[in-house]
Amino acid sequence: MAPAQILCGKAASAQVRERLKTQVAQMKEKVPGFRPGLAILQVGDRDDSNIYISMKLKAAAEIGINANHIKLPNTATEAEVLKCITALNEDPAVHGFIVQLPLDTDKPISTEKVSNAVAPEKDVDGLTSINAGKLSRGDLGNCFIPCTPKGCMELIRQTGIQIAGKKAVVVGRSKIVGAPMHDLLLWNHATVTTCHTKTAALAEEVSKADILVIAAGKPEMVKGEWIKPGAIVIDCGINYIPDSTKPSGKAVIGDVAYSAAKERASYITPVPGGVGPMTVAMLMQSTVESARRFLETFQPGKWNIEYNQLSLRTPVPSDIEVSRSCVPKRIGHLAKEVGLLAKEVELYGQTKAKVLLSTLKRLKDQPDGKYVVVTGITPTPLGEGKSTTTIGLVQAIGAHLHQNVFACVRQPSQGPTFGIKGGAAGGGYSQVIPMEEFNLHLTGDIHAITAANNLVAAAIDARMFHELTQSDQALFNRLVPLISGVRKFSDIQLRRLQRLGIEKTDPSTLTDEEKRKFVRLDIDPATITWQRVMDTNDRFLRKITIGQSPTEKGFTRTAQFDITVASEIMAVLALTNGLEDMRRRLGKMVVASSKNGEPVTTDDLGVTGALTVLMKDAVKPNLMQTLEGTPVFVHAGPFANIAHGNSSVLADKIALKLVGQEGFVVTEAGFGADIGMEKFFNIKCRYSGLRPHVVVLVATVRALKMHGGGPTVTAGVPLPKEYTEENLQLLQQGCSNLIKQIHNAQAFGTPVVVAVNAFKSDTEAELQLVIQLAKEAGAYDAVKCTHWAEGGKGAVDLARAVQRASQKQSNFKFLYDVELPIVEKIRIIAQQIYGAEDIELSPEAEQKVGVYTKQGFGNLPICMAKTHLSLSHDPEKKGVPTGFILPIRDIRASVGAGFLYPLVGTMSTMPGLPTRPCFYDIDLDPVSEQVNGLF
């Protein structure tokens, strides 16, 4: 019999590499700049591992694969290795990923755990249990096969001998070679026997093999005479034996007695030069295959996201029934779908998470998406569906038009939730879910604000008390205590010294006068503007007396509670651009004036650092989802009538990066366009630097009829017939408010799309009249919407209109220059947005203008605190009031947030409870633990 033909792995692998080069070149043509990515993670510094890795890196470079070698020290812990694996799993530029084994480590690390941590779709070594399981059950088209068995199969195929029906014997049962080789031959229709070192009559079993694969790790374990004449012999063994003729003193031999075996076999692999080169080639092939699979689903700038299918019912059930009818995706899965990394997400259960601000740094070079703000006409007390429209619109853009889209909405206050309004998660089939989580506590941000706000309030009164009861020296000794015989200023105290113009850092060098200036804030109680807060409607806290305990030694004063969402800290959270910016803003908050008329800040009180610590988690946006599975950021919740009424800048910025250039971010501005939208433009956009592409203005037939002279509507009371029967005349008269709000939006140079939120009582003639008048008033488009009853499907026309409008040139501009005098800025808003004839300042407001101008706050933007129920200061004046004088009864400063807020009329910063609050119906089912009656 003629000697066996040599199956040269070097030649075969060269052919494979040439084929892969061509495939990679084709990928680059399809997607310019694209390269398959391979990551090799090594723990320690084994010489043999370094050699193997060098071979892999060289092969990758030759083919055009972008290979990255990550080397951890042998002191790395299992947690550190797993963290590195997670990062590589999430890196979209890595398509193939291997952990070089064995791990060279001083630490107890589970190889099994580490191997299985690799994402199966990137496991080009085929070592995860998932890929092994798929191979075991014959799912060869949907798994990665370990490289050595795959290379063996390639060599066997090169013989041209059919595998099906042949008797195959595998000697060795390792997870890397023996076991997968058995499965691979089996599913290629060979009859397979697996043997090992403990197999009885091993020679007899080997002699039956038409195809013999040996991977036992024992030099020349299989003797030549065992080989069946004409067999194919694949030797995977690599064994080192002493050989003085070699420079290294060692020779490499296989598991087969090669010289004797090649006299009986028909084909045989040499060692070295047989299976070894093929193992590397197959790793490259699997990496290119993984990249090909990636490109099959890859759409530049598009998320790979699954949407939920709604099961619509008529009539539409209650909001809570609809919410519970949909099973939300696990929030970690949604985070991955939208491109967030695991290290950027902090899970709060299965349905909500916080997103770290480091996301912004990672995505800093990513272009922003399109920015859309949803606002409305002047609403009725029932609300006109802005939140519902916001959610319906993003569901339409995402689930129906398949564009990347994020909603950014405010977190609701528990005041209205338990008071008169109920939930604020949208409604019908356009909701944020789970709505109980959305409306109750969420991740505790509002509680953090309450704690931080009240810490400032406590610090104010405590400081005044101590200054009134102690000498300068006693105050100094307590503020700068002696520790181990040394007094030392804290960082915040050094900042105060600098503001006072005292350029000293050694406490012992201060003069008595400098000590007095340092320790005494000298707060004028009559100027305190900082109030305590709570997130509950409690009218009896609108005016209180504090300090009545005998321990306060008679130092009482009149104070009040505001609702938490009116706190300046809420506004700071909503307007900050980052953690350091938040810290700076928190320190700049002015709480009072000194008796000399100087502003007293939270930094003067020494509380800035503590506030930052209390707010460190609240600054991270909260991730939730809609009914149809589109992502939502829920972050910050300032009221729009007594504050600026917009969700956070940070949520918008992160969302704009995540959606990418062709995606959309839809945010909502509170109440009507004269309130929330005006503040969105003049305050939020001024500080964020973001420029909106489209304004969506929500209108309802019901509200427009009210503005046309219809009777007052009240929550919980049936609507009068004027609202349930067709009345085109009343509606046309009320459209004056819609037209005015369109013009208000146009004043900022941004295209306007009107969303007519349809109710079942609206007639088609009424809806078409609103659409006609809106277009005649200059709206880019006006669209009927049925998203409450149909979810995203009912807002598809609106979504398409928004897409078209976003392509239009936006000539964005602010309404006023912040350098104008305070009174002039107020007048511009009153006249151009509200339609007032002029403004009238009370003596107190006049005095505040002088104080704030003197203190250097005159160049801040204006945040009007005004009723949302009318364009004027009088909630009873509907439509478009004219000829009125807008009364400014007071002006206050939110210096940390960055605006002055004039108080118009008799606005209250602490709402009260109605006769029958929402909480009458609220309870918890003790068995299911479901919240009932809240929505």
Side-chain angles (χ1 to χ4, degrees), residues 385 388-390 392-393 427-430 757 785-792 794-795 798:
T388 306
T389 301
T390 299
L393 175 58
Y429 286 103
S430 294
N757 188 16
C785 304
T786 56
H787 46 273
W788 180 80
E790 296 183 292
L798 174 63

Side-chain angles (χ1 to χ4, degrees), residues 523-602:
I523 294 170
D524 181 354
T527 67
I528 295 173
T529 55
W530 196 270
Q531 310 298 343
R532 289 166 172 81
V533 300
M534 65 187 304
D535 197 34
T536 302
N537 290 0
D538 191 342
R539 65 191 316 126
F540 284 92
L541 295 178
R542 290 172 177 170
K543 188 173 184 179
I544 60 173
T545 302
I546 61 173
Q548 294 194 16
S549 169
T551 57
E552 310 323 310
K553 303 180 181 180
F555 297 115
T556 62
R557 69 179 182 90
T558 301
Q560 68 185 56
F561 270 79
D562 295 339
I563 196 159
T564 298
V565 290
S567 169
E568 183 176 354
I569 296 177
M570 175 63 87
V572 166
L573 175 66
L575 290 170
T576 189
N577 282 291
L579 189 60
E580 183 55 38
D581 180 55
M582 182 179 74
R583 184 179 179 278
R584 182 184 60 80
R585 288 174 179 269
L586 291 171
K588 287 174 60 178
M589 295 187 300
V590 174
V591 300
S593 294
S594 70
K595 291 173 182 174
N596 290 330
E598 296 298 321
V600 177
T601 68
T602 43

Side-chain angles (χ1 to χ4, degrees), residues 206-207 212 222-231 233 256 261 264-265:
V206 169
S207 67
L212 177 63
V222 175
K223 308 307 176 186
E225 59 268 24
W226 298 1
I227 306 297
K228 179 180 179 180
V233 178
V256 178
R264 296 175 66 86

Side-chain angles (χ1 to χ4, degrees), residues 357-497:
L357 305 189
S358 57
T359 308
L360 265 181
K361 183 177 180 181
R362 175 175 64 89
L363 299 174
K364 66 181 187 303
D365 297 326
Q366 168 95 327
D368 288 347
K370 304 292 197 306
Y371 196 28
V372 180
V373 60
V374 176
T375 185
I377 61 170
T378 305
T380 69
L382 307 180
E384 309 317 314
K386 284 196 316 302
S387 298
T388 306
T389 301
T390 299
I391 303 307
L393 175 58
V394 297
Q395 290 183 157
I397 293 173
H400 298 268
L401 300 186
H402 304 292
Q403 293 283 127
N404 296 353
V405 66
F406 241 105
C408 292
V409 300
R410 289 176 293 163
Q411 178 183 353
S413 164
Q414 288 178 184
T417 296
F418 287 106
I420 60 172
K421 187 178 179 183
Y429 286 103
S430 294
Q431 295 186 44
V432 181
I433 59 170
M435 64 183 309
E436 304 100 306
E437 298 287 346
F438 179 89
N439 287 290
L440 299 174
H441 304 294
L442 196 59
T443 56
D445 294 351
I446 291 181
H447 302 316
I449 292 166
T450 303
N453 184 100
N454 293 342
L455 178 62
V456 176
I460 294 168
D461 289 305
R463 186 58 175 263
M464 288 196 298
F465 174 80
H466 291 308
E467 288 187 22
L468 287 166
T469 57
Q470 298 181 52
S471 66
D472 294 349
Q473 189 60 49
L475 282 169
F476 187 80
N477 290 343
R478 288 180 171 86
L479 287 170
V480 192
L482 201 62
I483 300 174
S484 300
V486 178
R487 296 188 193 278
K488 185 179 179 181
F489 290 124
S490 66
D491 290 343
I492 202 167
Q493 290 174 330
L494 290 171
R495 292 201 297 271
R496 172 158 172 76
L497 288 169

